[in-house]
Amino acid sequence: MSVPLTLLGLLEREPSHGYDLKRDYDAYFSRGRPLPFGQVYATLGRLARDGKVVISEVQPGVGPERKRYVITEAGATEFDAWLTEPLEAEPHLQSVLFSKVVLALMLGRPAHEYLDIQRGAHLERMRQLTEIRRSGSLVDTLLADHGLFHLEADLRWIDTTTARLDALRAEVVKA
């Protein structure tokens, strides 16, 4: 997730204070990983430095002054380019799980046990995401679906790899 570009998108919707940006970011995008206030203000500072946002007004607050940020044309142009550019559709060709399996086989360790443990972890996470789908908002449901589909693909890979462990062992041990 690109925090600067996401903040630009929220500012394109409406000028906002840093606190409001953090609230909206956390409500829609963080899902268990709230954006630290320091990161919000540091990011806004860099965006201002780079001419992508400006401060439209400053209001006194209980603590520090409250600054209202507005996206500039340069910021809107960058956000629009990011929004309309498709993500690279290349699958992850190197993963930690793959590395663990190959190294376990090379070292004569029980790769099938690692795969079984990972399968269990995936199934537990799928149960959690399924509960979110049942009880969450539409935003939560769509994010849970995204996670579930990725976990399903991982489980298929785990099953396929488990079935091919002997052949893979022969290939990596002779290398």
Side-chain angles (χ1 to χ4, degrees):
M1 170 70 62
S2 172
V3 173
L5 289 162
T6 303
L7 294 180
L8 285 175
L10 291 171
L11 286 170
E12 186 169 292
R13 180 183 62 166
E14 64 184 350
S16 299
H17 296 97
Y19 176 85
D20 298 323
L21 291 167
K22 178 195 173 0
R23 181 199 61 219
D24 291 347
Y25 184 97
D26 288 349
Y28 293 103
F29 307 109
S30 73
R31 295 304 176 250
R33 292 187 180 160
L35 189 61
F37 277 107
Q39 186 176 356
V40 172
Y41 292 108
T43 301
L44 288 169
R46 285 190 300 277
L47 290 170
R49 178 199 67 206
D50 296 342
K52 295 172 186 163
V53 302
V54 293
I55 298 169
S56 68
E57 62 184 74
V58 178
Q59 302 168 335
V62 178
E65 296 177 325
R66 291 185 44 131
K67 299 174 184 174
R68 186 181 218 68
Y69 295 87
V70 177
I71 193 169
T72 64
E73 187 162 332
T77 300
E78 182 174 331
F79 173 73
D80 186 59
W82 174 76
L83 187 64
T84 58
E85 184 178 314
L87 295 174
E88 190 171 330
E90 184 177 327
H92 303 287
L93 294 180
Q94 181 68 5
S95 74
V96 173
L97 183 56
F98 175 78
S99 296
K100 284 184 171 188
V101 169
V102 171
L103 287 168
L105 293 172
M106 285 179 172
L107 300 171
R109 295 189 183 177
H112 65 282
E113 289 180 17
Y114 299 140
L115 290 170
D116 287 344
I117 291 168
Q118 189 63 54
R119 181 183 293 109
H122 273 52
L123 291 172
E124 176 56 32
R125 183 63 178 143
M126 290 177 85
R127 282 189 279 282
Q128 295 166 356
L129 292 174
T130 299
E131 182 55 36
I132 290 171
R133 281 176 58 186
R134 283 191 200 109
S135 60
S137 67
L138 179 57
V139 169
D140 291 335
T141 299
L142 290 171
L143 286 170
D145 282 343
H146 187 264
L148 284 165
F149 296 152
H150 281 273
L151 290 170
E152 287 172 358
D154 285 353
L155 285 173
R156 285 194 307 272
W157 182 85
I158 288 170
D159 290 341
T160 300
T161 302
T162 299
R164 296 177 176 170
L165 277 178
D166 289 337
L168 182 59
R169 180 181 295 108
E171 190 167 317
V172 299
V173 169
K174 71 176 181 181

